[in-house]
Amino acid sequence: MLNINDLIRSSIRAMKPYSSARNEFHGEASIFLDANENPWNPPYNRYPDPLQRELKGRISELKDISPEHIFIGNGSDEAIDLVIRAFCEPSIDNIVTITPSYGMYEVAAEMNNVKCVKVELDPGFKLNADAILNTVDEHTKAVYLCSPNNPSGNVLNREEIYRILKYFRGLVVVDEAYIDFATSPSLLDGLVGFPNLIVFQTLSKAWGAAAIRLGMAFASPEIIAVLNKMKYPYNVSRLTQEYALKVLSNVEEMQRQLKLIRSERERVADALSRPPLSYKVYPSDSNFILTEVGDANKLYAKLVKQGIVVRNRNSITLCQGCIRITIGTPEENDALLAALSS
Ligand SMILES: *Cc1c(COP(=O)(O)O)cnc(C)c1O
């Protein structure tokens, strides 16, 4: 049986977290003279709930998962970094990730003087569990996966992920920033069976709230407790918590937009793959399309001249000649297609 406690850096295990005024007081009170706040300008004069209880209650309802399995951070970026800092001893431990994938895993590792070992995906951007399992060593604390993967857009094979979860004796992080756009289910239902699984989701993509910076990590209560111990006391502002509650109360609107983005994705993919463009289009379970266009640098520059910015992925592993296109409004997508054909 994998013991999460054995994986934590010893200094973090031993450390006593900062205890804020809002943390220490539990109960009913009407006069708050404990946190050196200005008594006027409510409600923003008060420090926000450090554990975001109301918001976790709502997420718990939506995802059908109890609040002690939920961590909320200042974007997924916070959780990506915290997992490395909690479990990887600088200059000794490492993480293993896939390539091509999201650049922040490596940046967060390097920032912490933790080595990031990258394993190339198989053709078709497929996950190969054996390749990962053959790469991890006794200093690998976490494997970072991304599904649907950025920039390839595809969902990673579930059985391969399960094999890594089963045979790797460390943490397996699955970044599901784009899961709402996929037809296959989230790995959240695997939390019960796999104490080493951490799932990241975010309000930045399908929920349309990238500006407020809100990321979620779902994991065992033991892992969540470590992340809570390490985070800044008030890592998620009151403004963000309020707006997140508002966004999460309107599931119908999110689903309406999701449907439109999915149908636009199929329309754009179709147009890209047909003459006159005839690009190679990789299948997408996300809100973007990776497409091979030939001279990606030239095409990128041409689009910029027409005021359209896409993501040039030409220099990324296995993505030579590729650009990544985010699905916009129907009008924006029309403008893109017109510019490409011009
Ligand atoms: C966009 C994206 C995120 C979102 O990060 P936030 O910090 O929550 O905005 C996370 N992971 C991947 C792979 C992404 O592409």
Side-chain angles (χ1 to χ4, degrees):
M1 194 53 197
L2 181 78
N3 187 345
I4 295 300
N5 225 25
D6 296 339
L7 289 176
I8 304 172
R9 288 169 64 195
S10 51
S11 58
I12 302 297
R13 202 184 307 128
M15 168 199 116
K16 250 187 78 169
Y18 173 72
S19 186
S20 67
R22 274 309 105 84
N23 250 334
E24 287 187 353
F25 175 75
H26 301 283
E28 290 294 312
S30 54
I31 299 180
F32 288 99
L33 305 176
D34 58 343
N36 299 345
E37 297 147 335
N38 182 324
W40 293 290
N41 192 34
Y44 300 105
N45 59 329
R46 299 295 176 195
Y47 280 101
D49 177 1
L51 289 172
Q52 310 98 18
R53 276 165 267 237
E54 191 182 355
L55 184 53
K56 281 181 189 163
R58 176 66 188 137
I59 294 168
S60 163
E61 264 172 29
L62 268 177
K63 308 276 176 188
D64 193 22
I65 202 161
S66 74
E68 78 257 22
H69 288 278
I70 307 172
F71 168 84
I72 301 181
N74 185 348
S76 309
D77 292 340
E78 181 178 3
I80 291 169
D81 175 64
L82 279 183
V83 170
I84 292 171
R85 280 199 287 141
F87 294 95
C88 299
E89 199 60 48
S91 82
I92 295 174
D93 291 330
N94 66 68
I95 64 165
V96 168
T97 189
I98 50 175
T99 187
S101 194
Y102 189 44
M104 273 307 289
Y105 315 136
E106 186 176 18
V107 169
E110 284 178 348
M111 195 92 77
N112 291 296
N113 194 17
V114 166
K115 207 170 147 212
C116 175
V117 184
K118 296 186 276 186
V119 176
E120 248 184 51
L121 290 169
D122 277 357
F125 302 109
K126 293 208 167 34
L127 175 65
N128 180 336
D130 287 330
I132 300 279
L133 292 169
N134 290 333
T135 302
V136 299
D137 63 22
E138 79 258 43
H139 294 299
T140 306
K141 291 300 185 68
V143 169
Y144 274 70
L145 304 173
C146 182
S147 178
N149 187 39
N150 177 6
S152 54
N154 59 309
V155 162
L156 301 180
N157 184 290
R158 220 177 159 78
E159 296 311 316
E160 296 292 298
I161 297 177
Y162 282 149
R163 266 173 10 92
I164 299 169
L165 277 162
K166 191 166 162 198
Y167 295 111
F168 170 54
R169 299 191 57 77
L171 303 170
V172 179
V173 175
V174 183
D175 185 344
E176 292 190 334
Y178 300 97
I179 194 65
D180 303 289
F181 301 104
T183 42
S184 50
S186 160
L187 262 111
L188 276 182
D189 57 13
L191 279 186
V192 188
F194 296 108
N196 56 336
L197 173 62
I198 305 178
V199 175
F200 291 164
Q201 293 184 4
T202 180
L203 295 197
S204 297
K205 305 286 155 63
W207 290 98
I212 70 169
R213 311 304 305 129
L214 191 132
M216 299 162 274
F218 303 91
S220 71
E222 291 74 27
I223 294 173
I224 297 301
V226 184
L227 302 184
N228 280 335
K229 179 173 165 177
M230 295 189 70
K231 75 182 185 68
Y232 289 145
Y234 304 107
N235 60 327
V236 181
S237 78
R238 182 183 177 111
L239 293 165
T240 293
Q241 293 185 47
E242 284 175 352
Y243 195 81
L245 276 166
K246 190 177 140 185
V247 166
L248 293 172
S249 71
N250 202 345
V251 179
E252 296 72 28
E253 176 59 16
M254 185 274 251
Q255 279 168 348
R256 191 187 67 79
Q257 295 172 7
L258 209 55
K259 224 173 127 187
L260 187 55
I261 290 170
R262 279 206 196 120
S263 77
E264 281 294 292
R265 177 183 75 201
E266 299 321 308
R267 182 174 77 88
V268 173
D270 194 55
L272 294 173
S273 61
R274 278 169 194 270
L277 296 173
S278 306
Y279 297 152
K280 172 165 185 175
V281 175
Y282 290 97
S284 172
D285 301 299
S286 55
N287 67 332
F288 57 85
I289 294 171
L290 187 73
T291 180
E292 206 179 309
V293 299
D295 191 339
N297 295 334
K298 195 170 144 205
L299 185 70
Y300 177 83
K302 171 178 143 171
L303 289 174
V304 166
K305 269 209 191 104
Q306 300 184 65
I308 300 172
V309 196
V310 296
R311 193 88 155 119
N312 185 354
R313 300 286 75 184
N314 186 52
S315 58
I316 303 293
T317 316
L318 303 178
C319 297
Q320 206 190 352
C322 290
I323 59 170
R324 192 194 69 194
I325 301 169
T326 306
I327 300 304
T329 63
E331 297 73 29
E332 289 170 337
N333 302 331
D334 283 341
L336 170 87
L337 293 171
L340 286 172
S341 306
S342 72

